[in-house]
Amino acid sequence: MAPDSLNISLTTTDPNALFMPGKYTSGFGPVISNGKRLDFPLGGNATAITSAWSNVDNNYLNINQRQNISVWIYMGDSNSAAEGVTFVLQNGDDPISSSTANNVGKIGGGETIGTWGCGLASSVRSPETMAARAIQHSWALEFDTMVNGSTTIGSSTKGDSLDGYQVNDGGGRGIRTQHVGWAYPGDPLSYTKDGGNNWYILNHNDTSELDTRTNSEKRLAWHHLAITYIPPEKGSNIASLTYKINDKDIKGIDFNSWDRVPFAQGEVGATIPLALDKFELKSDRLRFGFMTVGAAASSFKGANASVLFETLPGVIQADTNAYIINKTNQTKIIESDPHKTNNNHPDMFDGSDESLPTATRAHPKDELQFKYLLNFVSGRSNIDNATVKISLPDGIDFETDPTKQIGEIDYGGGNKQIIYGQTPSTGSDSNHNEFKEITVNLDRNLDLTTCQAVISINGVAADLPAGTETVKVPPSHAGVSTDQYYADLETKPFTVYYPDDTLTLTKTSKDPQVLYNQNETTVTGHWDFDKLATATNEDTEIHYSIDGADEIVTKDTISKMGDFELYLSNLSKKEHKIKVYVVNHNYPLEYDKDGKVTEVDTFVSNTVTYTVTVEDKALRIDSKSDQELIATGNMDVGIDGTHSYNDSSSFKNDDLTLHTVVNGIDTTTQLSGSDAITSGDFSANIKAANLKVGDNPVKLYMTDSHDLKSNELEFNVNVPDTTLTLIPDLTDITALYTEVARLGGTINYSDNAAFKNSDITLNITIDNDEPYMYELTGDDSATTNKFVYEKSGGELGVGDHTVVITATDGYGRSSTPVTYNVTIINKSLKLKSDKGYSFKSINASPETRILPRSGDWTLEVESINTKWLLSAQCTELTDTTNDRNLAGGLIYTNKDGAIQSLEDSQVLLRQTILSARKKKLLILLVNGRRITESY
């Protein structure tokens, strides 16, 4: 059971090879198995020594750059193991052959692990001669499977003393079992005499006792080693090197973070000051390699040692980090201690995340964002076709709907990849502990152009189970794998609990606010905890954003406790929404026995929104009139409204002008009023003459004496296309030359709209001459109005005339033209009579009698400038109904009483008078008859 690893190459001739063999006992050279595993075939030989080194031409540690090396080391089991393995950094300019030498000049084995100075030779009488037999210009970390030396000072023996009593480790200590530690092999200061003896102990640094071969399970046989190198600051020669051993299992899971540390397999490591002057460098390159030797047969059977590689700076140098953002309370949950996280760059952040306070707790319903950062730095390969398996910790709700977004990958430069919900699969660690996980494939390769991928997975802290006060959320593990790169990232575990307090924010300033001719203001508020009484303004951040822009964080340490004031400036002319909430990152949760706060939590208040509107001082008009208006009859249209300034300042109507724009024509009306008011009324009168049939767009606005223009109100006035009708009284008219001809009639609309005569104009054409307009008068409103147009006979002249009249209203609607035939005369003679003349009744009688008229018989003679004679004559009286003659005949009695028969001849009645109405001119003489007649 072995972890995943990179493909590597080992050769002495290929310049592109990653590794090259070092010194080794004949027949025991290093080999590569399956293209991945670097094997040191000790084969149980107690004297076998072998080594392999990185090719300094293309696989080295650059002292001027942050570098990471990650490997897995196998050293055997409880029955068979190597003497140990050392990881060595060496001056890249030195030859690979520079390694330990024993008393006969061969590679030192046994306790030296081919790395440390060998004290077998009699010439070794000082730390200097001891160091001269070690690997020169180097630093080494040993994994020692055996203890070579005594736990008491001076009790070790020659050739078995390097792990003797450590007089320089604190107050002194003995090394009792398998262990790890480090030193500079070629530095005399790394060696100290064992008491008064002429042999030496190795001064181990950061010694940690650790089982490396007595493993009870195959899954624990491989030990992970992670190296992080950080260059020295400018002007310094001291770099920083962090090494970690057993920081994760073979599936990449951190033992420590998951609380599943197997016996004697806890993580060990240290961050050390690496003195670069020990290497006597002439370039920027350090070679790294592995040395191992066979174990003494008397101890246990020797075994092969092996190394697998996860990350090599010569292949890909990349930085990683993982942490959680609590979007609800604006905190981050992160492990910054490099010895408690697999992330090799725990101080690398996305954007402004670094500035967020660090927390260890969250509350149910908090919105969380799990972030995994992968940053390509350098290498001969890119991070291609990367697959990332991400575990989803219990206690957090994640989106599983494949149509909804669960997260994204931000590659920078606006390039993002959406991650949709997935049904999680089941993953497990090396001890078969299961967890949920999803798989994400990077759409882009990471290289020097697209160097970073920020993977974000969104979740929400779940409600706690009933009866539970807290829930510990385990880490989220992200395993990155490609052909040439492997990395394990993990978030920090944290606690979810129900808070026992509430932080409430209220507004104390006027809201909403309207600013006139200014762009700055202040808003105020007050925050308060329900229970905590010791919170201070210093502990409380004020978070606010204007119109959704980037959030601004500040504090108000001047105002009274719990109060705050925000000064807002440079506000543009519009309505602004200012969202505000407060955050307290120092809510005390735990105290020590002395009352000192040992753990704090973050509380976030509710969010309040202030509204601030910035305006110039404006003249405002308003109207409740309908926007769509219909003109009635021929009447003007009125629109009523109000006017005022938006800052409620006073004014005089005398200073205001109303503009009425009808069909694009602006008509102004000066308002009147010298009293100071803050609001006024106006009325716009739209003349019918300014309107046309159909739609008429109307705009109203005002201006003041400072040329400040108000808003515009828009209306539409519709003038219906109704028919105007003119009906003449008579169309044939005769008038004397000395009199007037009267042309009359009635006017109405087809829709029976009411109107006034004064709204109507007559268009008159006489004898095809030039037309002229005649305005009617009369202000009585009715649906039908009469009119009379008079024209003198003298103006017309004697003769026949044609007069055409068309009625037109103010909207331009016209009637059908009416033609009047007018005759003007200068003399005439007319006789007017009545067809209903009759005589009184008479009974039958034999005698002749005179029968008088029944009522008055009126005859009228009309004479203008004409002499006349009126005479009468008649025929026999006839009953036309029965076709028979009647008895008697008409007679005329003159003024002298003389009687004349009208049947005999014409009788002169009158002459040369204008009118005559005579009562006894004509009389019926009836002959005697026996029947009754009617005359």
Side-chain angles (χ1 to χ4, degrees), residues 57-322:
D57 291 332
N58 59 24
N59 186 23
Y60 57 90
L61 188 151
N62 188 327
I63 64 170
N64 296 321
Q65 296 179 4
R66 187 185 184 101
Q67 303 274 263
N68 297 103
I69 301 172
S70 177
V71 303
W72 292 92
I73 302 175
Y74 172 81
M75 286 164 281
D77 56 30
S78 58
N79 297 315
S80 61
E83 177 81 21
V85 173
T86 58
F87 171 79
V88 186
L89 296 175
Q90 185 193 20
N91 185 330
D93 296 322
D94 288 355
I96 287 179
S97 59
S98 177
S99 56
T100 61
N102 61 14
N103 58 326
V104 293
K106 296 182 178 180
I107 303 173
E111 66 174 353
T112 71
I113 319 179
T115 303
W116 312 114
C118 182
L120 293 176
S122 59
S123 59
V124 178
R125 296 178 178 272
S126 66
E128 286 73 19
T129 54
M130 185 72 173
R133 291 177 173 269
I135 297 178
Q136 300 299 298
H137 311 139
S138 66
W139 173 89
L141 174 67
E142 73 169 4
F143 297 79
D144 201 339
T145 62
M146 294 183 58
V147 176
N148 299 101
S150 172
T151 56
T152 59
I153 190 169
S155 300
S156 298
T157 60
K158 190 172 186 176
D160 193 31
S161 63
L162 289 181
D163 297 329
Y165 187 80
Q166 301 289 299
V167 295
N168 295 326
D169 189 350
R173 61 165 290 184
I175 300 177
R176 296 180 299 274
T177 183
Q178 304 173 62
H179 58 276
V180 296
W182 64 271
Y184 297 97
D187 184 359
L189 296 177
S190 296
Y191 304 96
T192 299
K193 269 192 174 185
D194 182 26
N197 299 316
N198 286 324
W199 48 84
Y200 292 84
I201 65 170
L202 175 66
N203 295 324
H204 292 64
N205 296 280
D206 296 310
T207 307
S208 299
E209 295 179 351
L210 178 71
D211 284 358
T212 57
R213 59 175 173 78
T214 54
N215 303 308
S216 59
E217 303 176 57
K218 291 181 179 180
R219 71 184 181 93
L220 303 177
W222 288 91
H223 300 272
H224 187 257
L225 168 64
I227 300 288
T228 298
Y229 170 87
I230 300 176
E233 295 181 358
K234 186 176 181 180
S236 172
N237 202 32
I238 303 298
S240 173
L241 185 143
T242 297
Y243 66 88
K244 295 183 292 183
I245 304 164
N246 284 351
D247 58 329
K248 61 184 179 182
D249 68 9
I250 59 173
K251 288 197 173 182
I253 307 299
D254 188 337
F255 286 131
N256 303 282
S257 295
W258 291 64
D259 295 330
R260 298 167 184 168
V261 181
F263 176 75
Q265 295 298 309
E267 178 183 327
V268 298
T271 297
I272 68 168
L274 185 66
L276 296 183
D277 56 357
K278 301 288 186 181
F279 298 95
E280 297 187 8
L281 291 166
K282 296 180 181 178
S283 68
D284 59 1
R285 302 183 180 189
L286 287 177
R287 176 188 294 115
F288 58 92
F290 298 89
M291 304 291 298
T292 186
V293 298
S298 59
S299 301
F300 43 76
K301 183 179 179 181
N304 295 342
S306 299
V307 178
L308 293 170
F309 296 91
E310 278 189 332
T311 59
L312 292 172
V315 179
I316 292 175
Q317 171 58 42
D319 295 330
T320 63
N321 197 17

Side-chain angles (χ1 to χ4, degrees), residues 407-419:
E408 68 177 19
I409 305 176
D410 189 348
Y411 298 99
N415 299 308
K416 294 185 178 182
Q417 173 185 340
I418 302 300
I419 303 174

Side-chain angles (χ1 to χ4, degrees), residues 374-562:
L374 180 60
N375 184 51
F376 177 88
V377 178
S378 62
R380 65 181 186 178
S381 297
N382 300 326
I383 300 180
D384 297 334
N385 304 314
T387 296
V388 185
K389 291 184 176 294
I390 302 173
S391 69
L392 305 180
D394 293 336
I396 307 298
D397 293 330
F398 295 95
E399 182 61 66
T400 59
D401 188 336
T403 66
K404 296 181 180 179
Q405 183 175 347
I406 187 177
E408 68 177 19
I409 305 176
D410 189 348
Y411 298 99
N415 299 308
K416 294 185 178 182
Q417 173 185 340
I418 302 300
I419 303 174
Y420 292 95
Q422 301 178 25
T423 300
S425 58
T426 300
S428 65
D429 63 14
S430 61
N431 198 31
H432 309 295
N433 296 296
E434 294 183 346
F435 49 79
K436 297 176 294 183
E437 71 176 3
I438 60 174
T439 300
V440 177
N441 297 312
L442 270 63
D443 284 350
R444 289 175 173 261
N445 299 328
L446 301 187
D447 49 32
L448 291 177
T449 301
T450 303
C451 59
Q452 188 177 67
V454 178
I455 304 172
S456 299
I457 302 296
N458 301 316
V460 177
D463 289 329
L464 303 185
T468 304
E469 294 184 357
T470 62
V471 167
K472 184 175 182 180
V473 179
S476 171
H477 169 262
V480 182
S481 60
T482 71
D483 290 340
Q484 295 297 321
Y485 181 77
Y486 290 86
D488 292 289
L489 293 70
E490 278 185 347
T491 62
K492 183 178 181 177
F494 62 98
T495 299
V496 176
Y497 81 109
Y498 281 118
D500 192 30
D501 207 344
T502 302
L503 178 57
T504 303
L505 176 64
T506 55
K507 294 183 283 189
T508 58
S509 58
K510 177 185 175 182
D511 186 67
Q513 294 186 48
V514 180
L515 308 179
Y516 302 102
N517 295 333
Q518 56 179 317
N519 62 359
E520 58 186 24
T521 189
T522 58
V523 296
T524 61
H526 179 79
W527 57 264
D528 193 22
F529 281 99
D530 287 350
K531 296 181 179 180
L532 183 67
T534 58
T536 67
N537 284 9
E538 182 64 38
D539 293 333
T540 307
E541 296 175 346
I542 306 164
H543 294 243
Y544 71 98
S545 63
I546 303 175
D547 300 328
D550 291 342
E551 192 171 273
I552 301 171
V553 181
T554 186
K555 291 183 179 181
D556 185 346
T557 58
I558 300 176
S559 295
K560 185 177 66 176
M561 197 61 59

Side-chain angles (χ1 to χ4, degrees), residues 892-927:
Y892 170 68
T893 302
N894 63 19
K895 62 182 180 177
D896 297 324
I899 297 175
Q900 289 179 282
S901 173
L902 296 181
E903 293 181 3
D904 297 338
S905 62
Q906 288 187 353
V907 178
L908 179 64
L909 303 179
R910 292 283 188 276
Q911 64 180 6
T912 317
I913 59 174
L914 295 178
S915 178
R917 288 188 176 97
K918 299 298 180 181
K919 295 182 178 179
K920 297 181 179 181
L921 290 178
L922 300 180
I923 302 173
L924 178 63
L925 178 63
V926 181
N927 297 326

